[in-house]
Amino acid sequence: MTDEPMLEPRERLFEVLLEETFRRPAHADPSATGTLTRRRPWLAVAAALLGLGAVFGVFVLRHESADHDALLQDPLPASQQPWLHDGKTLVNAQEWLALQPHITGCVVVPVRPTPDGKSFVMIDGTRTAMGAAAARAVAASVPALGDQTFRLEHENPRDVSAWLAFECDDGKRVHGFLRRAEPGVALLGGLRSAGSSEVWRRTMDGLLFPELREILASTALAELPALPASTRALRCPPPPNGTLAQHLGRFTELEVLEIEPFRFTTTLGNGEPISIPLPEVPSILFELREALPRLRELRIPSGILHRDEQAAELARLPLLRSLLVDGGFGCVPTPNGGIVRIGGLTPIGMRALANRIEALEVHGGQIPAELLEPWLDAGALRRLVLVGVEVPPALLARLAGIPSLGELGLGGASFGDEHVQALGSSKLTSLSLHGTSVTEAGLRRLPASLRSLVLFGQAVGEDVCREILTSLPECRIQRFPALPK
């Protein structure tokens, strides 16, 4: 099979004539063609004219055929060309830097060219979506943008390997594209990076190829000295007690920090029983706030937040506004995969954080109801994401009723129709559902204030989407398939 179009019989006739006129058959006498043309020069001229006419005829026929096919071919649906909508064009690099704090999410999707080679479509089931903290970390890895502009229509579709879009809090997107020929170069918001970046290439490889993500997204403590002091986003294991300044103190520009969850190691030797060393649970990790003066977003395992003193230390980080906790509040994982409540984290200690944090994400584990009361009292949350935790509908209704809360994300099967129903009287403007038990019936009871509905791995029919848009005409619906496991 080839990419060449099928020829009509008349086109094939012209090609046979051309082949017979200008090609010497393999079995022919080497002198035959020369003799023939010397004796009958008019035949050579006629053959040449016939050849040129045939070439022109084939060109016209193919051109007309291509135009005809283009007229008959329906344009790609909007769902396959999201880069054509809601785009935000960047004027210069300074505008991109100023925009990064307003990023609320990011989507990265591999693409493939369409059969006609004129555009490209998304490859189903391979997208990676992330929340605000991770998206801003990715944004921080973008190489410095230059003054050189690019236009998508000038790109070769076969050289574009992926589309990415940074969601912003104004509902717009900064669209970007990756090129196979220059994987370390960023094409973003109409601007081209001034140079390539190995960090950017590694970051994109980690997002596009899940099997490499764990390797590429993390930096061992021993590798930290090799990173530039200007690093703004970092993911690493938890430094041992009292060594924060030693490992991270030189990264004075650090804005996003992700500390990996605790890991258990197993050893077996000489027939001895398996030993499972428990991870060191830091007693005081952020003992020097001067070491992280510009930190805005932090992701930590729950073991780092299990005492009031630790909550107070986090609250003293001057610019910290976004917090993601893996494993719930005041909990640590056990070697067998369970969760155990430890420490002395109380509502008093939690109140210090609740008064400062504007974006809170909790992934897995437990959330004792009493530890959520300070967040209700403070009323400072603008964004709340709960993934893999159990929250009663009544408590969720109270959380959604925080006056400043505009964005809510729910993930996991523990959230169902009754949770969506509990949001009815809220003033939410954005709701994200990721692999929940919410049914189409539940989606018919969304808050009237909703302006954005994002569905990841949710089975929702077109008819239900039309119903939602009829009742909420200003709501924008985005649907994404479940991520591959």
Side-chain angles (χ1 to χ4, degrees), residues 236-357:
C236 67
N241 283 325
T243 66
L244 176 76
Q246 171 188 337
H247 289 96
L248 301 178
R250 70 187 187 89
F251 299 112
T252 56
E253 303 295 314
L254 198 63
E255 298 179 4
V256 180
L257 174 62
E258 293 191 6
I259 298 211
E260 297 176 357
F262 300 117
R263 299 181 184 277
F264 296 92
T265 59
T266 61
T267 58
L268 177 63
N270 300 325
E272 295 294 326
I274 293 178
S275 171
I276 305 180
L278 295 178
E280 178 185 18
V281 178
S283 57
I284 298 178
L285 177 62
F286 298 96
E287 70 279 2
L288 294 175
R289 61 176 178 172
E290 293 81 5
L292 302 169
R294 301 190 63 179
L295 194 67
R296 295 182 291 104
E297 301 177 27
L298 175 65
R299 180 172 187 166
I300 57 174
S302 58
I304 291 179
L305 186 58
H306 65 88
R307 298 189 326 184
D308 286 352
E309 294 87 347
Q310 292 170 320
E313 289 165 4
L314 294 182
R316 284 195 291 268
L317 290 168
L319 299 183
L320 185 65
R321 294 295 182 271
S322 177
L323 178 65
L324 191 156
V325 182
D326 285 304
F329 292 143
C331 305
V332 293
T334 61
N336 61 4
I339 295 289
V340 62
R341 181 86 182 273
I342 66 170
L345 185 61
T346 71
I348 295 176
M350 188 64 79
R351 187 170 294 114
L353 274 177
N355 289 328
R356 296 289 305 277
I357 298 299

Side-chain angles (χ1 to χ4, degrees), residues 158-293:
R158 298 189 181 277
D159 188 37
V160 178
S161 62
W163 160 70
L164 65 153
F166 291 98
E167 301 277 353
C168 302
D169 55 13
D170 62 356
K172 297 290 186 178
R173 290 173 165 181
V174 178
H175 296 287
F177 301 89
L178 305 181
R179 296 187 60 192
R180 289 186 176 88
E182 300 174 311
V185 172
L187 304 177
L188 189 67
L191 293 179
R192 182 188 180 93
S193 62
S196 62
S197 167
E198 180 66 13
V199 174
W200 173 247
R201 186 194 66 78
R202 283 162 52 98
T203 300
M204 288 298 101
D205 281 348
L207 293 172
L208 291 171
F209 306 102
E211 64 273 14
L212 301 178
R213 189 175 307 161
E214 188 66 24
I215 299 174
L216 298 176
S218 303
T219 301
L221 294 178
E223 297 174 350
L224 291 177
L227 297 179
S230 58
T231 297
R232 292 186 295 165
L234 181 63
R235 185 172 190 250
C236 67
N241 283 325
T243 66
L244 176 76
Q246 171 188 337
H247 289 96
L248 301 178
R250 70 187 187 89
F251 299 112
T252 56
E253 303 295 314
L254 198 63
E255 298 179 4
V256 180
L257 174 62
E258 293 191 6
I259 298 211
E260 297 176 357
F262 300 117
R263 299 181 184 277
F264 296 92
T265 59
T266 61
T267 58
L268 177 63
N270 300 325
E272 295 294 326
I274 293 178
S275 171
I276 305 180
L278 295 178
E280 178 185 18
V281 178
S283 57
I284 298 178
L285 177 62
F286 298 96
E287 70 279 2
L288 294 175
R289 61 176 178 172
E290 293 81 5
L292 302 169

